Amino acid sequence: MNIVVCIKQIPDTTDVKFDRETGRLKREGQPTTINALDEHAVEEALRLKEQHGGAVTALTMGPEKAVDVLKHAVAMGADEAVHVCDDALAGADTLATSYLLARAIGKIGAVDLILCGGETIDGATACVGPGVAQNLQIPCVCFVQKIEGIADGKITVQRMMEEGYDRVECPLPALLTVVKGINVPRISSLKGKMRAKKHQPKALTVADLPEVKPERIGAAGSATRVTRTFSPEKRPEGLMLEGEADEIAEQLYQHLRK
Amino acid sequence: MELMKDPEVLNPDECRGVCIFAEQRRGALSSAAMEMAGAGRRLADALGEDLHAALLGHGVGDLAEELRHYGIDKIHVVDDPVLADFLDEPYSAALCRVVRDVKPSILLGAATNIGRSLLPNVAVRLGAGLTAGCTGLAIDDATRSLVATRPAFGGTIFADVVMENRRPQIATVRRRVMAPAERRDAPSGEIVRHDLPPCAASARAKFLESVDELAGAVDLTAADVIVSGGRGIGGPEAFEMIRELADALGGGVGASRAAVDAGWIAYSHQVGQTGKQVRPKVYVACGISGAIQHLVGMRASDTIIAINRDPEAPIFRVATYGLVGDVHKIVPALAKRFREGG
Ligand SMILES: Cc1cc2nc3c(=O)[nH]c(=O)nc-3n(C[C@H](O)[C@H](O)[C@H](O)COP(=O)(O)OP(=O)(O)OC[C@H]3O[C@@H](n4cnc5c(N)ncnc54)[C@H](O)[C@@H]3O)c2cc1C
Ligand SMILES: Nc1ncnc2c1ncn2[C@@H]1O[C@H](COP(=O)(O)O)[C@@H](O)[C@H]1O
């Protein structure tokens, strides 16, 4: 089983800062972290490898600092790490990102399974996973809450739905995106951290990738454009109700009846 | 694995109208389909163009008839056994087929699990732009293009997004944001049948079964009322009183991550950044402190009622009504009062 896990670096959300002038997100100098669901994807890949053998490769597209998330994956136990970093990729939306990631996966070689997070915290589009699958023309199952098993070149999964889950069977190679319920990610061991420190992720630029058209990557390859950012309207000031439980219940009841 | 060739993009000059993906599951239209019909109608009217719907499934003739009551001009049906249950490949191939035939300027789908799997795939097949999880849709008068508004960072900021030169302009729309189309007694609208494209005929993935964990319970993303319990309720047995209040208010039960992680209730009830994003009319937070990761999942609710013994709890900053006190006293008192009515 050769597994590629697509991971993304995101700003640490409890500490998001915005440029007052432009309303844009300040990324420079901000603490960053691995997108939480991507950590679940790495964990699931490691568990599959422990069962079925093979290798786990973590892949990210992002600025220089994004190397940190690859180190995080290596510390958890990923065998290889690939970092696609190129100024030409700046401003990529999900269409351009999935185009590029598919080509980076092509470069990695024989892959049986690709895992992505269900969505990122910063973009929360949930588009990149299915987009990569379509670029590679492989089957895709999104929002997987459990991998039941792999046998005879087929993977059986539980896909989370609003009212429960669906069981779906899918031939490999395939792409899955995962939700939080799938596992609890491990804490990296000291040995893993030491290994990550020394590990040099493979750095790729656009020139290293086959079949990449310049008009399909970065801002040029993007079909969406942000024209304005703004803060949400503040919620109106609330009303505090205090007193005995019965009194509070009565007050609230009278307010809501209106 | 073979890389997809560059998609044949639609010519913007030839694209007209709005098309919605009318989601159905297990023989029933999703309420999301009516929300899309409502949103789609408003955009189509702003453009002065037609509203189309794409209905995919097997044996969905009745559903197509039903859709004729929602003010849609043309209902495009692809009916085939391979579409009996949702699978990414045949569904996206079939939806692309409809889009290539209809050539809509805008394609809308609800941001349900199906919509969020299907539409990104379709966007790549068409080389089109997609704005995900929108909370607002409008037509720019000058350019006649779609302006899609979406939250980022869990609603700490909003962005207007345009997809100017590509067609269709695709958007997935959050549940419960768009006023649904009203059912009219008299049917209208024409049903058009489309063949399944050959590439969709053989799905590689296989649907095995669907397991309904919420049998008898409420889909939180579609709920009008949600009562959630957090660590402050003290233990799994306290979800009994949460459920009683939910029943009294006719709603569903939610939870904070702390309550889920403690094993008090299943993950499917978790509200927040790594759980469900909900938008009920009334959200009651019981013993929940109001961490940002919880707030991003519920702060778009119309009315928020927070019950917490700590008057400084951050949940009170988003609360419409802040009830200061012990959940074990207030929650049963509320259940009693609301059940009494009057
Ligand atoms: C990456 C990431 C993702 C996350 N995703 C989510 C998510 O999706 N959803 C989510 O909810 N959280 C999420 N969290 C966790 C979040 O940060 C908080 O830890 C969590 O929401 C706290 O849950 P709580 O409010 O139930 O518990 P606490 O923070 O412990 O709050 C308990 C509250 O109950 C009150 N209380 C105690 N006893 C009583 C009583 N008898 N009567 C009345 N009030 C009482 C206390 O005053 C306190 O305010 C996430 C965290 C991270 C890092
Ligand atoms: N720049 C990136 N590099 C690697 N993987 C990514 C990148 N962007 C998104 N992904 C993957 O796609 C998933 C969904 O991202 P998104 O569409 O942004 O919500 C993430 O959880 C990652 O697994």
Side-chain angles (χ1 to χ4, degrees):
Chain A
M1 278 292 281
N2 288 323
I3 307 174
V4 171
V5 191
C6 297
I7 61 178
K8 190 182 181 196
Q9 185 172 58
I10 56 155
D12 221 339
T13 40
T14 47
D15 200 24
V16 183
K17 290 198 180 72
F18 297 99
D19 189 315
R20 288 234 174 268
E21 305 266 285
T22 61
R24 293 259 157 84
L25 192 72
K26 276 194 192 167
R27 288 193 193 253
E28 293 77 34
Q30 281 291 300
T32 56
T33 182
I34 179 172
N35 181 49
L37 290 180
D38 300 355
E39 201 177 33
H40 290 272
V42 174
E43 175 63 35
E44 200 59 22
L46 295 174
R47 291 186 189 190
L48 289 174
K49 178 192 149 183
E50 281 155 16
Q51 275 176 33
H52 302 275
V56 173
T57 304
L59 166 66
T60 196
M61 170 187 125
E64 256 165 56
K65 195 172 184 313
V67 79
D68 294 350
V69 288
L70 293 175
K71 295 248 176 194
H72 184 88
V74 170
M76 285 177 73
D79 302 278
E80 302 291 336
V82 176
H83 184 187
V84 191
C85 181
D86 197 312
D87 289 343
L89 300 173
D93 73 353
T94 56
L95 190 68
T97 301
S98 44
Y99 174 87
L100 195 280
L101 286 176
R103 274 141 189 91
I105 291 165
K107 175 87 178 180
I108 290 169
V111 175
D112 302 298
L113 183 65
I114 300 160
L115 296 180
C116 287
E119 66 180 11
T120 51
I121 300 297
D122 54 349
T125 74
C127 287
V128 169
V132 169
Q134 179 52 34
N135 271 284
L136 293 168
Q137 304 187 92
I138 57 173
C140 172
V141 186
C142 292
F143 311 121
V144 170
Q145 63 176 27
K146 186 179 171 128
I147 295 179
E148 291 187 354
I150 301 178
D152 307 325
K154 287 183 185 146
I155 190 162
T156 306
V157 303
Q158 294 179 2
R159 160 175 79 194
M160 190 174 84
M161 300 301 282
E162 279 77 10
E163 65 280 16
Y165 62 89
D166 290 342
R167 295 181 59 237
V168 177
E169 177 192 274
C170 190
L172 300 174
L175 184 145
L176 310 177
T177 79
V178 305
V179 296
K180 181 201 157 217
I182 196 165
N183 58 39
V184 179
R186 67 194 64 190
I187 309 285
S188 309
S189 66
L190 198 60
K191 207 171 126 213
K193 284 185 184 148
M194 301 285 283
R195 186 169 162 263
K197 229 179 190 163
K198 283 187 235 128
H199 185 95
Q200 266 305 330
K202 185 190 273 184
L204 296 178
T205 64
V206 169
D208 298 316
L209 299 176
E211 296 183 60
V212 171
K213 296 194 176 152
E215 70 275 18
R216 297 208 56 199
I217 58 170
S222 298
T224 53
R225 189 165 63 82
V226 174
T227 52
R228 182 172 79 110
T229 55
F230 56 99
S231 301
E233 279 172 40
K234 279 229 159 49
R235 290 191 74 92
E237 194 71 28
L239 186 67
M240 299 295 274
L241 307 178
E242 287 174 57
E244 291 299 317
D246 289 345
E247 293 164 23
I248 292 181
E250 183 58 35
Q251 286 179 48
L252 183 70
Y253 183 81
Q254 295 305 338
H255 277 291
L256 286 189
R257 228 169 52 139
K258 280 177 214 150
Chain B
M1 292 191 293
E2 201 182 316
L3 287 169
M4 190 186 113
K5 293 203 187 69
D6 284 338
E8 211 178 293
V9 295
L10 297 185
N11 178 355
D13 296 337
E14 291 175 2
C15 294
R16 292 271 176 292
V18 178
C19 183
I20 62 159
F21 170 64
E23 184 169 329
Q24 61 84 23
R25 211 160 126 73
R26 292 184 273 175
L29 286 169
S30 159
S31 56
M34 283 69 190
E35 292 175 8
M36 293 308 100
R41 181 78 265 165
R42 290 185 286 276
L43 292 175
D45 288 349
L47 287 166
E49 295 174 0
D50 279 352
L51 175 62
H52 302 263
L55 175 66
L56 316 180
H58 182 48
V60 290
D62 290 355
L63 304 187
E65 267 312 315
E66 175 61 17
L67 278 176
R68 295 184 66 216
H69 294 272
Y70 290 90
I72 299 162
D73 298 301
K74 278 192 180 145
I75 298 145
H76 304 268
V77 182
V78 190
D79 198 316
D80 192 279
V82 71
L83 301 174
D85 293 288
F86 174 70
L87 288 170
D88 298 66
E89 274 188 289
Y91 263 68
S92 52
L95 184 55
C96 271
R97 172 60 178 264
V98 172
V99 169
R100 288 197 182 281
D101 286 354
V102 174
K103 298 191 177 61
S105 174
I106 295 170
L107 174 64
L108 302 181
T112 55
N113 285 11
I114 288 180
R116 300 204 307 155
S117 305
L118 172 64
L119 289 153
N121 188 312
V122 168
V124 168
R125 283 175 192 253
L126 297 167
L130 188 162
T131 307
C134 298
T135 53
L137 300 169
I139 301 292
D140 181 289
D141 290 336
T143 60
R144 291 174 63 79
S145 341
L146 179 68
V147 181
T149 304
R150 71 177 305 257
F153 272 97
T156 44
I157 192 165
F158 282 72
D160 283 347
V161 181
V162 296
M163 298 155 273
E164 277 153 345
N165 50 7
R166 313 244 193 158
R167 293 293 181 274
Q169 306 160 87
I170 307 178
T172 59
V173 186
R174 292 209 177 208
R175 290 304 313 274
R176 302 181 59 82
V177 179
M178 301 293 163
E182 303 262 344
R183 191 179 194 283
R184 309 172 188 175
D185 287 340
S188 64
E190 180 191 341
I191 295 177
V192 187
R193 298 197 169 265
H194 296 250
D195 292 332
L196 189 77
C199 62
S202 57
R204 285 178 284 184
K206 201 166 117 196
F207 183 91
L208 301 178
E209 63 171 330
S210 142
V211 179
D212 197 346
E213 286 179 316
L214 283 185
V218 180
D219 169 9
L220 293 186
T221 60
D224 272 338
V225 176
I226 296 173
V227 183
S228 286
R231 192 177 356 236
I233 68 169
E237 60 294 337
F239 268 102
E240 202 42 52
M241 77 181 180
I242 299 293
R243 193 158 279 123
E244 272 169 29
L245 179 55
D247 287 348
L249 297 171
V253 173
S256 74
R257 171 161 159 184
V260 171
D261 284 356
W264 299 351
I265 192 164
Y267 168 61
S268 54
H269 295 270
Q270 184 178 317
V271 172
Q273 183 181 292
T274 44
K276 296 203 158 94
Q277 323 258 307
V278 300
R279 214 179 225 279
K281 292 206 180 91
V282 178
Y283 187 90
V284 190
C286 310
I288 294 177
S289 60
I292 180 75
Q293 295 91 349
H294 189 79
L295 297 185
V296 302
M298 45 63 77
R299 73 166 138 215
S301 309
D302 295 341
T303 299
I304 296 173
I305 299 164
I307 309 168
N308 199 304
R309 66 177 175 200
D310 172 9
E312 302 298 318
I315 190 78
F316 287 132
R317 280 187 230 140
V318 300
T320 325
Y321 299 104
L323 281 47
V324 186
D326 185 353
V327 281
H328 297 102
K329 296 206 177 102
I330 296 179
V331 171
L334 289 177
K336 183 162 162 275
R337 186 63 193 88
F338 280 89
R339 207 170 274 123
E340 279 167 8

